[in-house]
Amino acid sequence: MTLDLVVGKTEEIAPGIRELTLVRPDGRLPPYPAGAHVVVECGHGRRNAYSLTGCGVEPDAYRIAVLHIPDGDGGSAYVHGLRVGDRVRVSRPRSAFPPVATARRHLLVAGGIGITPMLAHVRAALRWDRPVELLYVHRPGVAPYAEELAGLLGDRLVESTDPDEFGRLLQAALREQPIGTHLYVCGPGPLMDRVLTDAAAAGWPPERLHLERFVPAALDPGREFVARLARSDRDVHVPSGTSLLDALHAAGVAVPSMCRQGVCGECRVPVLAGRPLHRDEFLAADERSDAVMCCVSRSETDALEIDL
Amino acid sequence: MTRRLARFPFPFRADTYRYSTNVEPARVPVETEAGSWGTGILDVDDEYGPELAERAAVLDRDPARLQVLSHMRPACWDALHTVLGELAAQHPDRMSLERTGPDLVWRNALLGIEQRFTDGDDASLPGGPLGFLGSQVQDDIVLLDQREGSLWADAGIVTFAADWSMRFDVGMRFLEVHGPVPRVHEEGIISRAERFLMRLQPGQEYRRTNWTMSVDRRLDQSTEIYPEWGPDRRAIADADGDELARRLHLRVEVQHLVRLGHSGAVMFLIRTYLASLAELATVPAWRERFGRVLAELPEDMADYKGLDRFRGAAARWLLAN
C-alpha cells in the first residue's frame, strides 16, 4: 500500500513553508478525493500525514506543503531537506476529510498551514460548480497559496491576519449561511476549537461540521496500566507517557500501525476484558467495548486483556 | 466442458450455505472444478454482445432502470473513467480511452463504436456518464454516497436485478436496502458490511458472491416486471425431471466493491451468471454440492430467495445419482 515517488520540484512558497511536488516515474498516480492525505516516511521510522493540495482527478503529481517545525520530532525538517530527484516513500492517499456531496453550500475555514486541504476542496468545488466560500486566517506575510486562491475564488475568499477581525468575520459567516451548508475547518487546535464552539452557539448541528486535525491533539501521558496478552499469556507494562503500541513493540509484539494518531484503524486490537480509555477517532460507538486503537488509547482499568 | 462452465463462479465452498460478510480482495483467481474465474474486475465473455443488447432493450422499455440523484454526477463520471480505463487496460487490442485536455475518445472494437465526449459534460454522452457506462459493461452498477456515517444508494443502472428495484431503492440507506433479508440484521452482517465499505480507502477493491435461482436464462428479474417471471417459479415445481434440469438455473452474482478515487463513492459492480441444473450436473462435484446446499437450506432463507416451491425437487434431481 505504499508508493515510491521522486521529488520533482521543491519550492519555498512562504517563509518556513516548502511545497513538494512528488511524481511517479513508473506509472500513474492513484486519484483521491479532496481533503485526502498521504503518510510520508520521514526517515528514522517517522511518519507524518500531509494533505494533498490538488483536485485529485487523474493527478500528474502529488503536491504537499510542509511547515518547518523547529522543535518537532524532525519529520518536517526531513521534508525540508529533500532535493529534486530524492526518493520518497508515501502511503496511497487516505480520505478522512472529504466534501459532503449533498451539501447546499461549502463554508471552508483555514488557519495558517491548515490551508492545504482547503485548496483541494476549493478546486473540487469549482470543478463541480458547488457553492463555496473560504475564510482564511494567517500571520502577516505568511500566507501560502493566498494569491492562487484569490485567482480561483475572487470575492468568495476572505482573508484576515488579525484574530479579533477573524472572530467577527467568522461570526458573520456562521450566521449568513443558508440551511444545508456544511462547514470544514483545518488549522491549529485553538482555532478549530473556537470555530466549533462558535458554530455550535450559532445553532449548527454537529453533522454539518467537519474538522481535520493536522497536528494530532496533544494527548496527556495517561496513567500506567498492564496489558495482559491472552494468547501468549504475558503481561506488558505500559508506563505513563508510553503508548500501548510502543509498549507492545518494545516487548517484541508485532502490531501493524500506520498513522499513530487514532485515525487510520491499522493498529486495532481486540479487547477481551478490562475497560479501554478510548482516544481515537476511528472506532464506532458499538465497537468500543471490544476493541482498542493501541496507538493513542489506553486503559481505564489497571489491566486490559487483549487478544494477542 | 463448455466455455461458460469453465468461467462459472460456482459460489459454494461447503455443503451448507449461510449469509456472512463474505468479502475478499479482488483480482485473485479462484480455481474451480471446471476452470477458474476472478482474475480481473470485469469479465468480457461470449455473452457480451447479447447481454448489452438485452440491457438496451430493457432500458428502452423502462428508462427508470437508470437512476441518478443530482449530487451523484461526480460519482458517475468517476465510475465512467475508472471502468472504461479498466476495460482498456484489460483489452488494449480492442478498446482504448484517449484524452486530449477535456476531450476524450472511447473506442470499442467489440461493439464497433467510437464515442467522443467532453469530460464532465453529461450531454456529450448518450444516457449521460452512467447510462453510457452501462452500455459498455455487462455488470449492473450501483453507486453509494458516504455521508452522515452511512452509505446511500443514490445512483445506479440496474437492468438485471434478482427481484429488487433500483427505482424503489434509490436514495435509501445501505441498511434500508437490505431490510427484507432474513437473519442478516440479527447477526449484524449488514452493519458489519457497511462499516467495512465505509472504511475502504481510495482505489481499494474487494469482491463477494451472492446467489439465487431462476427459471430460464432470464437476466431481468426486476420487481417491476414480477408478473412476467414470477408465475414461472410456481409452474416449474410441477415440471418433469428433464424440463426442471433444463429450465432451472443457478444464478450467481459476482459483486465487486470499489472505492472510487476522486468522488469517494463506493461502486458496486454486479455481474450475473446463469447455469442450468443440467449444465451444472456435468461437473459431478458441483451437482452434489449444490444438491446438498439446497436440501439443507433453512426455510426462511429459501423463502426469501423465492426457492421454496421448487428447491426440494431441484435437490432431489441433483442428488438422484
Side-chain angles (χ1 to χ4, degrees):
Chain A
M1 289 294 280
T2 58
L3 303 165
D4 285 310
L5 306 183
V6 172
V7 178
K9 193 179 169 194
T10 168
E11 183 185 1
E12 186 165 52
I13 54 169
I17 297 173
R18 189 159 279 280
E19 179 186 76
L20 243 62
T21 301
L22 304 172
V23 295
R24 190 182 193 183
D26 59 341
R28 295 204 289 185
L29 286 164
Y32 56 86
H37 64 270
V38 290
V39 179
V40 179
E41 295 188 5
C42 299
H44 304 290
R46 290 170 302 213
R47 290 171 165 184
N48 286 0
Y50 294 111
S51 296
L52 296 166
T53 60
C55 148
V57 178
E58 299 185 22
D60 58 352
Y62 285 171
R63 289 184 184 80
I64 59 174
V66 177
L67 171 68
H68 182 221
I69 300 173
D71 54 355
D73 71 355
S76 68
Y78 174 89
V79 175
H80 274 244
L82 288 169
R83 295 290 167 257
V84 170
D86 285 351
R87 303 186 75 82
V88 187
R89 177 166 287 186
V90 310
S91 71
R92 291 175 61 101
R94 306 176 69 86
S95 174
F97 188 52
V100 174
T102 50
R104 295 271 181 81
R105 192 174 172 81
H106 301 261
L107 171 60
L108 312 176
V109 183
I113 192 64
I115 194 66
T116 50
M118 299 309 176
L119 193 54
H121 272 259
V122 165
R123 293 188 211 278
L126 296 178
R127 177 184 177 88
W128 297 108
D129 291 326
R130 293 170 176 154
V132 64
E133 67 182 78
L134 170 64
L135 180 52
Y136 182 14
V137 57
H138 53 76
R139 286 183 289 142
V142 189
Y145 302 115
E147 229 171 273
E148 187 172 354
L149 285 162
L152 290 169
L153 289 172
D155 61 3
R156 291 172 290 174
L157 168 67
V158 177
E159 278 183 81
S160 177
T161 56
D162 172 70
D164 291 333
E165 182 194 42
F166 169 72
R168 288 192 297 275
L169 292 167
L170 175 65
Q171 287 291 338
L174 288 172
R175 288 170 201 286
E176 282 167 6
Q177 301 303 319
I179 285 176
T181 304
H182 282 246
L183 182 152
Y184 309 77
V185 57
C186 181
L191 171 101
M192 294 207 289
D193 292 344
R194 174 176 192 171
V195 171
L196 296 182
T197 306
D198 286 6
W204 286 64
E207 307 81 62
R208 299 221 171 110
L209 305 174
H210 311 277
L211 68 160
E212 170 88 326
R213 294 193 187 276
F214 68 84
V215 177
L219 295 171
D220 70 64
R223 61 185 194 89
E224 63 178 339
F225 65 99
V226 170
R228 195 148 287 157
L229 277 51
R231 270 192 254 170
S232 46
D233 194 23
R234 292 171 60 193
D235 282 357
V236 173
H237 180 66
V238 187
S240 173
T242 300
S243 74
L244 173 55
L245 177 65
D246 285 339
L248 290 169
H249 280 176
V253 183
V255 177
S257 70
M258 180 76 119
C259 74
R260 291 174 173 256
Q261 295 171 24
V263 176
C264 76
E266 279 291 306
C267 69
R268 172 188 181 137
V269 170
V271 171
L272 302 171
R275 200 164 55 246
L277 174 63
H278 295 288
R279 308 200 288 187
D280 67 283
E281 298 181 33
F282 179 81
L283 291 173
D286 62 345
E287 296 174 291
R288 293 189 169 240
S289 58
D290 58 6
V292 65
M293 306 310 304
C294 63
C295 63
V296 292
S297 297
R298 306 183 65 83
S299 181
E300 278 186 26
T301 43
D302 291 337
L304 192 68
E305 188 175 328
I306 55 182
D307 193 13
L308 284 177
Chain B
M1 188 66 52
T2 65
R3 280 159 64 100
R4 182 187 292 159
L5 282 193
R7 299 167 73 142
F8 189 74
F10 188 75
F12 304 111
R13 296 180 183 182
D15 288 346
T16 58
Y17 176 82
R18 294 293 184 276
Y19 294 117
S20 64
T21 311
N22 59 331
V23 288
E24 60 184 11
R27 301 182 194 271
V28 179
V30 177
E31 302 291 326
T32 70
E33 282 80 1
S36 72
W37 64 276
T39 308
I41 297 275
L42 301 163
D43 180 22
V44 173
D45 63 11
D46 295 349
E47 318 286 339
Y48 185 69
E51 289 187 7
L52 292 182
E54 187 174 346
R55 170 166 297 134
V58 171
L59 282 166
D60 205 35
R61 287 193 297 272
D62 182 5
R65 304 295 183 90
L66 169 64
Q67 294 284 337
V68 180
L69 300 187
S70 63
H71 63 272
M72 295 302 278
R73 280 189 57 235
C76 292
W77 281 98
D78 208 354
L80 180 77
H81 285 299
T82 303
V83 174
L84 292 188
E86 180 70 26
L87 273 176
Q90 274 188 25
H91 307 280
D93 50 332
R94 291 176 292 179
M95 302 182 191
S96 68
L97 182 64
E98 284 169 26
R99 174 190 274 278
T100 316
D103 300 318
L104 292 115
V105 186
W106 168 247
R107 293 187 182 86
N108 182 346
L110 281 181
L111 300 177
I113 62 164
E114 177 179 294
Q115 178 68 45
R116 292 172 186 277
F117 60 101
T118 306
D119 200 10
D121 178 5
D122 287 24
S124 67
L125 277 171
L130 191 57
F132 181 73
L133 183 55
S135 72
Q136 303 298 304
V137 290
Q138 290 153 272
D139 308 61
D140 281 333
I141 305 164
V142 179
L143 300 175
L144 303 170
D145 186 36
Q146 183 166 335
R147 62 179 188 276
E148 297 168 29
S150 292
L151 292 170
W152 305 75
D154 284 347
I157 179 164
V158 179
T159 54
F160 304 149
D163 197 6
W164 62 284
S165 159
M166 188 70 223
R167 174 169 40 188
F168 183 74
D169 285 355
V170 69
M172 284 191 190
R173 283 177 203 257
F174 186 79
L175 290 175
E176 291 170 325
V177 168
H178 293 86
V181 188
R183 293 173 181 244
V184 295
H185 298 280
E186 297 87 321
E187 294 171 14
I189 291 168
I190 300 297
S191 53
R192 260 206 314 281
E194 184 180 44
R195 262 203 302 272
F196 171 83
L197 291 171
M198 288 197 293
R199 284 177 186 154
L200 288 181
Q201 289 296 331
Q204 280 193 298
E205 306 164 330
Y206 282 79
R207 74 173 175 222
R208 65 183 292 265
T209 56
N210 194 10
W211 70 278
T212 185
M213 294 180 73
S214 67
V215 181
D216 300 332
R217 294 192 63 78
R218 173 189 273 280
L219 284 169
D220 180 12
Q221 299 202 351
S222 296
T223 310
E224 285 97 327
I225 56 159
Y226 181 83
E228 290 179 27
W229 56 267
D232 286 345
R233 291 194 160 196
R234 286 190 286 278
I236 196 69
D238 302 324
D240 65 32
D242 279 352
E243 189 189 354
L244 189 85
R246 183 169 47 80
R247 294 190 63 196
L248 259 189
H249 286 66
L250 171 60
R251 178 183 175 115
V252 181
E253 294 177 355
V254 175
Q255 304 178 352
H256 279 95
L257 327 168
V258 179
R259 173 72 78 176
L260 295 176
H262 173 64
S263 64
V266 174
M267 175 172 68
F268 262 71
L269 297 172
I270 307 165
R271 177 66 195 283
T272 300
Y273 297 85
L274 293 163
S276 68
L277 299 192
E279 284 178 286
L280 290 173
T282 62
V283 183
W286 289 1
R287 174 181 185 129
E288 187 173 328
R289 172 149 287 174
F290 188 35
R292 288 184 181 171
V293 165
L294 280 180
E296 194 278 341
L297 196 68
E299 203 60 40
D300 57 343
M301 293 173 69
D303 187 42
Y304 172 70
K305 286 180 182 287
L307 318 181
D308 45 329
R309 289 170 193 275
F310 54 74
R311 63 110 164 210
R316 279 191 297 280
W317 187 89
L318 287 163
L319 296 173
N321 298 316

